[in-house]
Amino acid sequence: MAHSAIAAQHFSPAHSADPHRRHWGPITVRVCWDLVGAGIRPRPQVLREIREHALLNLGVHADTVEAEDTASQAVVDWLARREGDYRPFPVPDLADILPDPGWRRAILDECEPLHEAVFGLRYGDGVPIDQVVARVGVEASWVRAALEALRSVGRAVVAEDGLSTEGWTDAQVDALLTRVANTAGNSCPGPEGLLTELGRTHGEQCPRCSRAHRLISGGFLAPGALFAPDDGPVLVNERVELLCLQLSPDAVSYTRLVLGQLGDHVRMISGGLLLVNVDGVPDLEERMAALTERAMPSLGQLRGVRQVVRGQWGRQAVLGPGPLALADALGQVPWGEVEGLTLPEPLPPPPSSLRWYGSLLLAGLLAVGAGVFAWTHRAPPPAFPASASRTQEAMVFDTDDTAYVDVVAIDGRAGTTLFHSETPSDKGSIATGDGRYGLAADSDFVVVLTAPQPIPNVVGLSALADDPGRYADAVRELVPGAGITVLPRPRVLHVGPFTFTEPSWP
């Protein structure tokens, strides 16, 4: 259940009925703040793209608490999408409780100076406890006592408004206090008044305006970024036509050719799906037909769905909810059908060797026409491709049952064999039970090698690990047909109420 949803809070005119315009300023501040907190420079293009992603996912009737939640979610989701990981929005703890800004004022009214400092640092800015201790300059026991006092005050304040926290753990109360500490009121002065004396005084009591001041003074945010466009809609493009395409497992070796054929207007996303910007490829049907008529791949090895969805084609990710809706729709499409395109079946075998050579030459020209992608990946496709991902402590991968596999951990220039298969069936010893294989791994790099024959000792090649591309080339020379997947250690990011590990993709 939702509690005390607050009125519109904004840096934009109060009379604006456009929710995108109304929430422009709060979303801009939250996105910029979360990026800086995660150690990411909020360049204008990045800030603009994530803000658009948040606005595209924002409900029409959302209030500002929900808008700022959506902004933090959009940061996490955009960082994942930039790496090809498209999943439903992350949901913060206690997302169904919309704090009243009066709760924050009531808690602060009960605070001594130490409590107020701890409340702002720990719950408002998300500063780790050891750093809170260092900043306030008191013993750690005093900070722990202040946290206990704040939890007690917080429980009492929300109870007066009908929200019972009986049976809640400290972690749940902390999550609630984090939401309360980040809830601003509805009387912000707007961009024009933010830098006035009145605005600075207001910022001392308002978490949003305080952050805006700090971001502007730190050179992370230009004041002009808080102004929504004067005329016309805030979101110029809310719809995009996409094709979501999937290759069957026996056609994975053609993925590179499909990617090259579509150039910069295609992105590979989680699950091995391809998203194509239809507007960017006017001759899309002709390009795909040139592949399917030569069975590279054949129509039976494809399925796809083409729709106009809510979203935008961003520079680093496809924005909005549309890609997920399209991926869901794809699951209902049978193999051999690409909705929205008419593609031919493979041509019959040529009757003469001359025509066979002509077909081969045409296929070669197609490969050359695939562009830079194909030229920069000169090695032949691996006999057994692998899909793999990792966390800070472990990695999982999937490949053909008949593949030989080695997994090598690399730290600096030192390599260690984590797994070596004498036979393809040896992989059963590290099976995860869901058709994949997994190992503990906390090194700088984890390299998954797959091959159609036994893999010789390649640990010694780790001296080239400072350049994963050189390492991969050296392995391919030693093991013909090898597949190499290099997984760097993921970074752990703290974004608003989320702790987020950047996905690691091959």
Side-chain angles (χ1 to χ4, degrees), residues 286-355:
E286 290 81 357
R287 292 193 187 200
M288 291 302 303
L291 298 177
T292 61
E293 68 182 6
R294 287 165 182 82
M296 301 169 65
S298 66
L299 180 57
Q301 295 172 314
L302 291 173
R303 63 177 176 177
V305 57
R306 174 180 175 176
Q307 291 181 6
V308 176
V309 296
R310 182 170 177 79
Q312 291 182 17
W313 189 268
R315 290 177 61 182
Q316 299 192 52
V318 186
L319 312 178
L324 295 180
L326 207 56
D328 288 342
L330 181 67
Q332 308 302 315
V333 177
W335 290 103
E337 183 175 334
V338 180
E339 294 182 0
L341 296 182
T342 302
L343 300 178
E345 295 287 352
L347 295 172
S352 70
S353 59
L354 180 61
R355 291 185 63 183

Side-chain angles (χ1 to χ4, degrees), residues 35-201:
L35 287 172
V36 172
I40 300 170
R41 182 77 183 180
R43 294 183 174 85
Q45 184 272 326
V46 172
L47 179 60
R48 181 167 53 250
E49 189 158 309
I50 300 177
R51 179 174 54 211
E52 303 259 304
H53 188 41
L55 292 172
L56 285 164
N57 282 281
L58 188 65
V60 174
H61 302 294
D63 66 21
T64 308
V65 173
E66 294 171 296
E68 290 179 316
D69 278 349
T70 301
S72 284
Q73 292 168 313
V75 173
V76 175
D77 193 55
W78 183 87
L79 289 171
R81 289 192 179 194
R82 186 181 61 174
E83 304 298 328
D85 191 7
Y86 285 62
R87 300 181 184 181
F89 254 33
V91 179
D93 293 335
L94 308 179
D96 59 336
I97 297 177
L98 305 182
D100 188 310
W103 294 353
R104 182 176 182 274
R105 292 192 298 270
I107 291 173
L108 290 174
D109 286 344
E110 299 295 323
C111 284
E112 299 292 337
L114 174 61
H115 298 142
E116 184 173 347
V118 172
F119 182 75
L121 289 170
R122 179 62 185 144
Y123 296 117
D125 294 347
V127 176
I129 293 296
D130 58 339
Q131 294 182 31
V132 173
V133 171
R135 292 196 192 186
V136 298
V138 301
E139 295 181 2
S141 59
W142 286 37
V143 172
R144 287 194 295 269
L147 290 173
E148 288 299 329
L150 287 167
R151 290 174 186 134
S152 297
V153 171
R155 287 177 184 268
V157 166
V158 301
E160 292 179 1
D161 209 10
L163 175 61
S164 173
T165 58
E166 184 178 355
W168 284 28
T169 64
D170 284 351
Q172 289 175 303
V173 177
D174 286 346
L176 176 61
L177 289 175
T178 296
R179 291 180 64 74
V180 172
N182 286 283
T183 299
N186 58 1
S187 57
C188 296
E192 303 93 335
L194 188 62
L195 300 180
T196 66
E197 188 61 35
L198 181 62
R200 283 187 284 270
T201 300

Side-chain angles (χ1 to χ4, degrees), residues 253 256 373-383 469 472-477 479-484:
S253 60
R256 183 179 300 161
F373 189 94
W375 280 109
T376 56
H377 293 72
R378 294 182 296 273
D473 289 342
V475 172
R476 289 190 184 98
E477 288 184 12
V479 187
I484 298 97

Side-chain angles (χ1 to χ4, degrees), residues 414-436:
T416 305
T417 298
L418 297 181
F419 177 77
H420 172 73
S421 59
E422 296 289 347
T423 66
S425 62
D426 291 345
K427 298 192 299 295
S429 64
I430 57 171
T432 60
D434 60 358
R436 299 182 298 170

